Structure formats: structure tokens, C-alpha cells
Amino acid sequence: MNKQVKVLVIEDDPYICDLIFLYTEKSGYQVSIANDGITGLGMFYDRPPDLVILDIMLPEMDGWEVCEEIRRFDKTPIIMLTGRGESYDKLKGFSLGADDYLIKPFDPNELMARIKAVLRRANPMLIGNEIIKLPLLEINLQQYKVTFKDREIELPPKEMELLYFLALHRNQVFTRQQLLEQLWGLDYEGDSRTVDVHIKRIRDKLGESNSYWKVKTIRGI
């Protein structure tokens, strides 16, 4: 990360707070916790975070009110937590401006995946360097520009983001599903082969005759 991402957790259940704190801190985030809505809102204004994890059922001021108040002035990403899974709650959360919605009990690894996905959609620069430089290749996500062998290569936004993600996580292997979740979102319902199509287009534009690096497929994975 080019900066430590600040996460504000507004949740009154001590066990859930401890669980979220453990996983988010392990992932490299800077975490603050409030146990009621009014305190949480005050912490939000005193030290603006990059993302808010917000419970719905809170003392003093519920999550709906907190979300609505934040959205009056700010677009900081919000992931809402609730023990209820009714579609009405989801629709209300999204109508108030929530970016994602997770039902308790939840897998903390899924929460981490959703945090990354929401941060990437809101501000890709939060999860990596603005410019990645490899031999013969420069990827500038701030300007959405790729330079290869000293010439600019035209890449649509999704191809750009995919190339950036792979270059940011060099020597790591990702399944199609992982790439879809990271770049297309957890709710993507299209064909998983769209990843193959984008990879092929990237290879066609950058070529394979490069001894410094390559976009490599691990068959079966």
C-alpha cells in the first residue's frame, strides 16, 4: 500500500469488534472502533476514515441514521452489517448510499474480500502504488495510462485494472473467480471466461517476446 488505509468500525458487539479488528489489522489496515452511533459519527468527523464498517442495530443512533448523516456530506465507502437478511433492509441500505451489505454471522475472510473490492471501486490508489514500473513497462493508474517499450498502449479501463492488479501482486496465482471478485465485484453474474478474454487482449497488445516478465497461466488453476 502507498498509505495505510484507515477503517472505522461502528459496532456494539464486543466479540464482532474483536474479530473485525484482528482480521483488518492483520491485513495492514489502521482500525478504530466505536460502540454506538453518536460516538462513531464523532470519530468519523474527527479523523475521516477511508472506509466505514457499520452495524445497523446500534445504541444512541442506529446505522441507518449514521449512514444517512455521512452521506449528506461525504462519499466514504460504507459496508453495513446486520443480523437480519430481509431484502427490505438491503434495499434501504443501498438507497441510503451503502456500498455493500453483509449479514451476521459472516466469514471474516469474506469481509476482507468485500473491503478490498469496495476500496478498489471507490479509490484504486488506496490499495497500491499509483505508478508501477517494470522493465519496459509502466502502469499509471492515476492517469489510466500504460507505456510499453516507450510507447503508449491503449487499454480499456478493465484491461488496465487487470494488468495493474497482476503487476501489483507479482508472482501470485489467482483463480478466475478471485479475479472476478476483486475487479468485477462479488455480485458479478456473467461468464467467468471474461477473464480469459481480457488476458488474451492484454497479451495481444503487449506481446509475449519479453524476457523480463510475462502474464502466465497456471493450467487447472
Side-chain angles (χ1 to χ4, degrees):
M1 296 180 193
N2 61 330
K3 59 169 283 189
Q4 191 170 29
V5 175
K6 299 190 294 293
V7 175
L8 173 61
V9 180
I10 308 177
E11 165 66 64
D12 64 334
D13 186 320
Y15 171 77
I16 293 178
C17 287
D18 289 345
L19 186 67
I20 295 175
F21 182 87
L22 177 67
Y23 275 80
T24 48
E25 189 178 54
K26 185 178 179 181
S27 297
Y29 302 120
Q30 184 178 332
V31 191
S32 301
I33 294 177
N35 297 126
D36 65 77
I38 292 178
T39 301
L41 199 57
M43 291 174 66
F44 177 88
Y45 288 126
D46 289 341
R47 193 161 179 248
D50 299 301
L51 179 138
V52 177
I53 299 174
L54 177 62
D55 186 28
I56 291 178
M57 304 302 292
L58 290 168
E60 305 297 337
M61 185 180 194
D62 66 33
W64 303 129
E65 296 172 291
V66 174
C67 181
E68 190 171 22
E69 183 64 24
I70 289 174
R71 280 293 173 265
R72 286 178 60 193
F73 307 104
D74 197 275
K75 296 181 179 180
T76 298
I78 298 173
I79 298 177
M80 301 202 77
L81 303 177
T82 181
R84 303 181 301 183
E86 287 86 350
S87 58
Y88 169 78
D89 286 346
K90 293 184 180 181
L91 292 173
K92 182 174 181 178
F94 289 132
S95 69
L96 290 175
D99 295 85
D100 208 344
Y101 193 102
L102 200 56
I103 299 170
K104 304 175 186 176
F106 54 84
D107 180 346
N109 290 308
E110 181 181 356
L111 175 60
M112 294 303 102
R114 287 177 182 260
I115 288 173
K116 290 180 181 178
V118 168
L119 284 172
R120 182 168 287 106
R121 291 196 295 269
N123 186 352
M125 262 58 78
L126 286 174
I127 46 82
N129 297 319
E130 295 179 14
I131 301 175
I132 294 178
K133 294 183 179 181
L134 298 175
L136 307 181
L137 177 70
E138 181 176 302
I139 308 167
N140 188 325
L141 195 62
Q142 187 176 33
Q143 298 180 357
Y144 269 74
K145 183 172 72 174
V146 170
T147 304
F148 180 56
K149 295 182 179 179
D150 297 323
R151 64 187 180 92
E152 189 170 334
I153 303 294
E154 293 290 335
L155 292 181
K158 194 57 70 177
E159 290 176 25
M160 166 77 73
E161 292 167 8
L162 179 55
L163 178 62
Y164 175 87
F165 181 82
L166 294 173
L168 184 65
H169 300 88
R170 295 186 286 279
N171 300 316
Q172 296 185 44
V173 181
F174 297 92
T175 64
R176 289 189 188 92
Q177 189 59 41
Q178 288 172 323
L179 292 173
L180 286 171
E181 290 176 359
Q182 292 294 332
L183 296 162
W184 278 262
L186 288 167
D187 297 326
Y188 178 77
E189 296 180 351
D191 189 346
S192 65
R193 294 286 174 174
T194 190
V195 173
D196 302 51
V197 174
H198 283 74
I199 291 291
K200 182 179 185 304
R201 288 173 179 167
I202 290 171
R203 284 175 170 153
D204 289 345
K205 291 171 183 177
L206 299 183
E208 292 290 345
S209 57
N210 189 334
S211 60
Y212 296 104
W213 50 263
K214 64 173 63 177
V215 180
K216 185 176 181 181
T217 298
I218 307 298
R219 295 196 179 278
I221 299 176

